[in-house]
Amino acid sequence: PISELYFSGVDGSVGVKLLAEHVGVPVEVLRPHLYEKPCVCAACHLFRVASGLDSAVLGETEIVAQVKEAWSLADREGMVGTMLDLLFKRAMEASKRMRRDTELCRHVMSTASLAVRKAKESLGGFEGKNLLVLGAGKIAVRLGKELHGVHDANIVVANRTVEKAAAIASEVGGTAASLDEMETLLSQADAVFAAVGAGTSVIRREQLLQAMSARPKRTMTFIDLGVPPNLEPGVEVAGVEVVDIDALSHATSANAQ
């Protein structure tokens, strides 16, 4: 995941030192992985982020909500001075103007909507198909909204806490399940939307192999929206089409232009 730290009133090295202490690594180890933007360049970057110009999906609106949330939290904690408060106010204004006065968001799609469209294209439609949503966080909620109008498929939402999965499942007319049933759920799914916020892979190659062996002559579309990926890196299993966030982004390059 990418983190951004905005600060004012001190030299840039102070911010780097603070971040290094927070993540528990030496400054010299962290610095090669950073990009630093001073003054106007930092403001320009924030404007682009808030406007959806620096997003995986051009023009998407999810990031501006995250910017607002971070700004609000910092303000409640007394960490927003005059300069940063003005910066973020102007960034929100720029975002509104971008969406109001340009064509950027006319046909914009979120990562969740792109994932659903990709799965529908791969399956040739959702009629009679089994759709599996893994996770119950923000991305899974958005997936639920995108699947809200799908009435000709069987939808299952699985999560460690089944109650959270049930809340999403009720919105799409689906059923809830536990992630403990992973093997069974995978063996039944025609499309999997993986959005578990686990911080590590939650599905191994062996699990996919076992699932596919239980369903000969059936294919699976596996869309991995986890950050980091939910599927073990480098997995290739016959009959399984794996699509990650980068692939979704590349698929929309023509639309972005």
Side-chain angles (χ1 to χ4, degrees):
I2 297 174
S3 299
E4 297 194 357
L5 173 64
Y6 291 87
F7 56 91
S8 67
V10 294
D11 179 77
S13 61
V14 176
V16 175
K17 182 180 179 182
L18 176 66
L19 187 58
E21 291 175 351
H22 178 69
V23 298
V25 299
V27 170
E28 58 271 19
V29 174
L30 179 64
R31 188 175 286 279
H33 302 283
L34 301 179
Y35 63 86
E36 302 171 53
K37 297 180 181 295
C39 305
V40 173
C41 291
C44 180
H45 177 73
L46 179 59
F47 282 23
R48 291 180 57 83
V49 168
S51 300
L53 293 174
D54 253 348
S55 304
V57 179
L58 185 68
E60 56 101 346
T61 58
E62 297 167 10
I63 190 66
V64 68
Q66 297 173 12
V67 172
K68 285 182 179 178
E69 183 180 357
W71 177 26
S72 177
L73 176 60
D75 188 42
R76 289 199 303 272
E77 296 296 326
M79 298 299 291
V80 177
T82 302
M83 182 65 73
L84 287 182
D85 190 54
L86 181 62
L87 172 64
F88 277 79
K89 283 180 180 177
R90 293 292 183 264
M92 292 301 103
E93 291 171 5
S95 177
K96 289 180 181 178
R97 288 180 59 193
M98 181 72 73
R99 301 179 198 285
R100 183 189 67 219
D101 300 340
T102 76
E103 297 291 314
L104 182 67
C105 299
R106 180 64 61 86
H107 302 291
V108 69
M109 290 184 291
S110 67
T111 303
S113 63
L114 288 170
V116 171
R117 188 170 79 167
K118 171 59 180 174
K120 189 173 184 178
E121 291 175 352
S122 295
L123 298 178
F126 285 149
E127 184 175 0
K129 301 299 184 181
N130 298 319
L131 310 181
L132 174 61
V133 177
L134 301 178
K138 291 181 179 180
I139 296 177
V141 169
R142 296 186 191 110
L143 284 167
K145 292 180 180 178
E146 294 296 329
L147 292 170
H148 182 74
V150 177
H151 302 299
D152 50 0
N154 303 309
I155 303 174
V156 177
V157 182
N159 190 53
R160 290 189 182 86
T161 305
V162 179
E163 290 77 11
K164 291 184 178 180
I168 299 175
S170 65
E171 294 293 324
V172 297
T175 58
S178 169
L179 288 179
D180 293 335
E181 306 171 54
M182 183 72 79
E183 284 76 11
T184 300
L185 294 172
L186 289 174
S187 68
Q188 298 171 347
D190 295 299
V192 178
F193 303 94
V196 180
T200 185
S201 302
V202 296
I203 301 174
R204 301 183 307 278
R205 182 175 184 273
E206 291 74 17
Q207 290 175 297
L208 272 187
L209 282 171
Q210 182 178 345
M212 297 307 290
S213 66
R215 45 183 290 169
K217 298 183 180 180
R218 284 178 61 194
T219 60
M220 174 194 291
T221 299
F222 190 104
I223 300 183
D224 195 341
L225 300 173
V227 180
N230 284 176
L231 182 61
E232 181 183 352
V235 169
E236 292 186 8
V237 174
V240 179
E241 179 187 13
V242 179
V243 182
D244 60 15
I245 293 178
D246 287 340
L248 287 177
S249 179
H250 293 156
T252 61
S253 59
N255 184 59
Q257 288 299 330

